[in-house]
Amino acid sequence: MSTPSIRRQLTAFLLIVLCVGAPALSFAAYWLMLTEINEVMDDSLKQAALLLADKDLRGAIASSGVTPVLSSTDAESKLTAIARRRDGSLLFASTPELALDFNPIPGMSVQEAKGERWNVFTVLQFDRIVQVAQPVSVRRDMAAESASQLLIPLCVVIILMGALLFGALRQGMRPLEIANRALARRGIDSLEPLALDGIPAELLPFVRTLNELLQRLERAVREQRGFLADAAHELRSPITALQLQAQILERSHDPRERAAASDELAAGVHRMRRLVEQLLSLSRSSADSPALDSFASLNLGELARSIVLRWIQRAERRCIDLGADVRDEARVQGDVTQLETLLNNLVENALRYTSAGGTVDVIARVDAGVPVLAVADDGPGIATGDMGRIFDRFYRGSASVGNAEQGSGLGLAIVKVIAQRHGAEVSLHPGLGGAGVEVRVSFRHERAAPPRA
Amino acid sequence: MRLLLVEDDTMIGRALVRGLTQVGFSVDWVTDGASGLSALSQHVHDLVLLDIGLPRMDGLSLLKCVRASQNDTLVLVISARDGVPERIAGLNAGADDYLLKPFDLDELIARVRALLRRRTGSATGVLVAGSLTLDPSRRTVLQGAREVSLTAKEFALLETLMQKPGAVVSRERLEQSIYGWVDEPASNTLEVHLHYLRRKLGADLIRNVRGVGYRLDV
């Protein structure tokens, strides 16, 4: 199957119209010619007959075919003249071998003779009958010849029109080709919009839409590059730590020193692994297409309880009171794995910043019809200077300094991306008893469809 | 030699303190820019290892503040920012050297020594005073042709004294060269180290100028 081409289609359409139109035009020309020729020829038949009627025709036969009234050009028009006496005897014949015998019908008539049809003009004089005749076919041939002469210019016009149309269409399509070539040269680095000047009005909407797509692509590429640059930068710190820890282990000889150095190295490896996992999780959840098919109706209360069970041992080791606070059985449409990742990140953060004896709550409730998931603690809270940047990738709040277990700075960025994919909003509020912080994820109303990202 | 480390990454910080202490430096470690600035205002450090991405005050601002206050302490920037513009900005702000993360511990130590050597005006780094020869990079001391074995603190004391042979070095300066903040020196430990040093090198080599300090007699 060939791809449809506007140029080919238009050209073919026009050629069909011309090919049907040209014979129709020729036929019309033929008819007009024939009518005209009939008029002229009838007239000349009549003139010849009247002339012949007044002539003295005695002895004319002897002159054997030399007709006094018919010129040599009449031979081409196959005119033939006959004169007879009233009694039917032949008085004169322009071509004696064609001594035709027509009925004496006065004026114009069409009669059969010798297997042919003839146009006959008859004049009845007192002593004779004069008839001038011409085969009907002669007139038709003449009309056909004239009409066929028209065919050549017509064909030329058809060919010229076709060529012109092809050229005009090619010219008209040129901006498209230029735009196409410009696009073909583009790489992932050049996503600037196409120039709109010279683009025909018919193509403008298409090019505009294309430009919008390019813009979105450019934003996505820039975002990805930024992410990659950030990630590469952030990987440097744990790698530096690992390299130093390995070198220290190498040059520690005392068993106690070695044990301490090897613990440090293990912690460094753990931190590296955690960062890589977080990076993967972020890249997975920021993949462009929303995996709506993995969305199912799920119970936020159950989710909150399962997360508490997962973290309870670690919380107890650090003497933090971790619990679920399920006030309503809220349901949302969502991806269970992603929402678990979201809660894991929130709980991990809360545990990191809450000191021994503190409290962390995983909350599921419905606020004025809106399903809400939240993690609240009574830790140090978030410094006002950090508020604006806390959801940025790799941003670590000032409270993280000197903290025994440093985070990757990706947790809240992951939370934000996952929330966005669920059409939910993330907001910060004062935490338990007015201290600490509550990170709140507010979903859309249960019945509202999740958004297309 | 007493170093100040300004680094917010706890793992890197712990490893650097351990690695630098192992080769005889005494290291003070702070985790944010503001603390770094106040530590530097005491003028007790020979060299600062400075990270750029720091909370409360970034490394570049700290560096500009330090240089603006006519403090010419040696500064070695250690940073994960690898762009040429960032490195140029660091050097323009007054850094003496720029080392990119991740780095090798030995390279860091070599660069620290190189900077300190340039400051004392000796290109090879080997200090010579009378019959004594001290090589900081190989950590060896020769008296004549005999190699003398010294502890890290004894070595640091001798190094400080040998930088200005014959000149009187104050008691505080000597203490600073061997103690970090965490060490909490007892009032007479400097004398203990000096006592052992005298025993190893000869009693009349290090003279006490009462109420002022000590001097290397060559």
Side-chain angles (χ1 to χ4, degrees), chain A residues 306-387:
Chain A
S306 74
I307 295 296
V308 167
L309 285 180
R310 182 177 303 176
W311 288 89
I312 190 72
Q313 281 189 323
R314 225 173 302 185
E316 279 170 352
R317 267 205 304 277
R318 299 199 46 209
C319 299
I320 293 170
D321 175 18
L322 175 67
D325 179 4
V326 179
R327 284 171 228 170
D328 313 278
E329 294 295 317
R331 301 191 73 86
V332 296
Q333 288 287 322
D335 180 318
V336 110
T337 321
Q338 287 191 17
L339 289 182
E340 274 173 6
T341 307
L342 179 149
L343 274 185
N344 280 336
N345 277 296
L346 289 180
V347 172
E348 192 182 355
N349 263 347
L351 291 180
R352 180 174 300 133
Y353 293 116
T354 304
S355 40
T359 308
V360 173
D361 277 359
V362 182
I363 303 162
R365 61 166 188 261
V366 179
D367 273 357
V370 176
V372 166
L373 261 185
V375 173
D377 62 48
D378 58 357
I382 297 170
T384 33
D386 292 333
M387 281 286 186

Side-chain angles (χ1 to χ4, degrees), chain A residues 233 236-241 243-245 247-248 251-252 256-257 260-261 264 267-268 271 396 398 401-406, chain B residues 8-12 14-16 18-20 22-23 31-32 55-56 79-82 100-106 108-109:
Chain A
H233 180 259
R236 285 214 162 106
S237 290
I239 288 175
T240 307
Q243 180 165 5
L244 294 174
Q245 286 158 346
Q247 284 183 304
I248 304 264
R251 53 190 75 175
S252 302
R256 247 193 27 236
E257 256 184 27
E264 283 276 316
R271 168 184 172 193
R396 281 178 285 260
S398 45
V401 173
N403 206 301
E405 195 195 335
Q406 244 168 343
Chain B
D8 64 327
D9 189 298
T10 44
M11 281 188 178
I12 296 177
R14 272 202 300 270
L16 278 181
R18 191 179 291 244
L20 290 167
Q22 275 178 350
V23 294
T31 57
D32 65 88
R56 288 177 67 195
S79 172
R81 300 188 186 176
D82 62 341
L100 207 61
K101 285 179 186 171
F103 51 81
D104 187 281
L105 183 58
D106 290 325
L108 176 78
I109 293 167

